[in-house]
């Protein structure tokens, strides 16, 4: 059976859009634990084969062979149709291939199978939010990122901040202030006593 390390490698390789924070630290441990608990319901031999097929699909996708990746993910789904992980990975392959409709269909299945909770659902919401954002559907993307953030996704929280127009304006103003401060020469006495000098 695949080890926790194997599953971590699978997640890192096949979810390149997620920042490292999304797949490392506590989030990764929780994801691996959550995935292991969800996987306990399946026959160990079928689970091992499905996981092997998923890893084979990841390898193919990484090599640029999306058709082979889709075939491997499809076989994993046929083997364990009630396991959400392969649908998440197949959705990513569909998206990379430009088949957004099929990706969204698989993500709906992920959310249904996971009952919109846990690490697999969190990743499903993030993927669907990214697709919605790319399609210009900001409100749908915001809802998906809100759901993912409630499930503990730091990446989704970052996206929500970026989507907030007031936050974007504040960030722009702060950036301009920082540029001005970097260009200003600070006299030696002023640096130690603060910006306004001694009070």
């Amino acid at each position: 059976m695949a080890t926790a390390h194997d599953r971590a490698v699978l997640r890192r390789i096949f979810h390149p859009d997620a920042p490292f924070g999304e797949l490392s630290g506590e989030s990764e441990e929780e994801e691996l634990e959550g995935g292991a608990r969800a996987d306990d319901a399946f026959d160990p031999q079928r689970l091992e084969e499905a996981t092997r097929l998923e890893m084979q699909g990841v390898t193919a996708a990484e090599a640029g062979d999306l058709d082979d990746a889709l075939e491997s993910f499809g076989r994993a789904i046929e083997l364990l149709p009630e396991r959400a992980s392969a649908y998440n990975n197949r959705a990513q392959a569909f998206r990379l291939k430009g088949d957004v409709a099929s990706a969204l269909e698989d993500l709906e299945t992920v959310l249904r199978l996971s009952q919109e909770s846990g690490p697999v659902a969190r990743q499903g919401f993030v993927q669907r939010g990214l697709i919605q954002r790319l399609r210009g559907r900001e409100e749908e993307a915001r809802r998906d990122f809100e759901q993912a953030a409630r499930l503990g996704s730091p990446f989704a929280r970052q996206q929500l901040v970026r989507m907030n127009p007031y936050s974007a304006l504040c960030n722009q103003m702060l950036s301009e202030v920082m540029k001005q401060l970097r260009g200003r020469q600070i006299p030696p006495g002023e640096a130690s006593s603060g910006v306004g000098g001694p009070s």
Side-chain angles (χ1 to χ4, degrees):
M1 182 149 55
T3 65
H5 179 264
D6 292 339
R7 289 191 300 268
V9 169
L10 175 75
R11 303 298 295 177
R12 280 215 174 104
I13 291 171
F14 205 62
H15 297 289
D17 291 331
F20 289 116
E22 179 73 8
L23 299 174
S24 64
E26 290 179 23
S27 295
E28 182 179 311
E29 287 173 18
E30 178 189 333
E31 185 161 338
L32 292 174
E33 284 178 19
R37 279 194 301 270
D39 286 347
D40 286 345
F42 301 114
D43 173 70
Q45 288 179 326
R46 292 171 73 89
L47 177 61
E48 182 177 354
E49 178 62 11
T51 303
R52 186 191 67 73
L53 286 166
E54 279 189 76
M55 293 183 82
Q56 182 179 319
V58 168
T59 301
E62 187 180 41
D65 189 350
L66 294 176
D67 290 329
D68 190 41
L70 288 169
E71 182 182 329
S72 293
F73 295 137
R75 288 174 45 212
I77 288 168
E78 286 174 16
L79 197 58
L80 289 175
E82 296 302 309
R83 184 169 182 256
S85 176
Y87 290 99
N88 242 342
N89 287 319
R90 189 170 74 174
Q92 178 80 331
F94 276 134
R95 186 182 67 78
L96 291 171
K97 193 167 175 148
D99 186 351
V100 173
S102 294
L104 288 171
E105 188 177 317
D106 272 358
L107 292 172
E108 292 300 325
T109 302
V110 166
L111 298 175
R112 179 181 54 79
L113 290 175
S114 65
Q115 299 177 355
E116 296 189 2
S117 67
V120 175
R122 179 178 62 222
Q123 184 66 28
F125 279 120
V126 166
Q127 281 201 75
R128 193 171 71 177
L130 288 170
I131 290 172
Q132 298 294 23
R133 189 129 194 241
L134 289 170
R135 296 171 83 192
R137 297 181 174 176
E138 294 292 308
E139 194 51 43
E140 289 94 335
R142 184 181 324 281
R143 282 195 296 266
D144 283 336
F145 290 138
E146 285 172 352
Q147 286 289 95
R150 282 189 203 105
L151 294 172
S153 170
F155 177 74
R157 285 191 288 272
Q158 291 170 357
Q159 291 300 305
L160 288 168
V161 168
R162 288 183 183 139
M163 293 174 77
N164 181 331
Y166 297 110
S167 175
L169 181 61
C170 288
N171 284 339
Q172 181 182 2
M173 289 170 34
L174 181 60
S175 176
E176 289 174 18
V177 168
M178 293 304 291
K179 284 179 189 175
Q180 289 174 0
L181 287 174
R182 283 187 195 116
R184 179 177 166 224
Q185 293 293 324
I186 301 174
E190 191 175 320
S192 61
S193 62
V195 172
S199 48

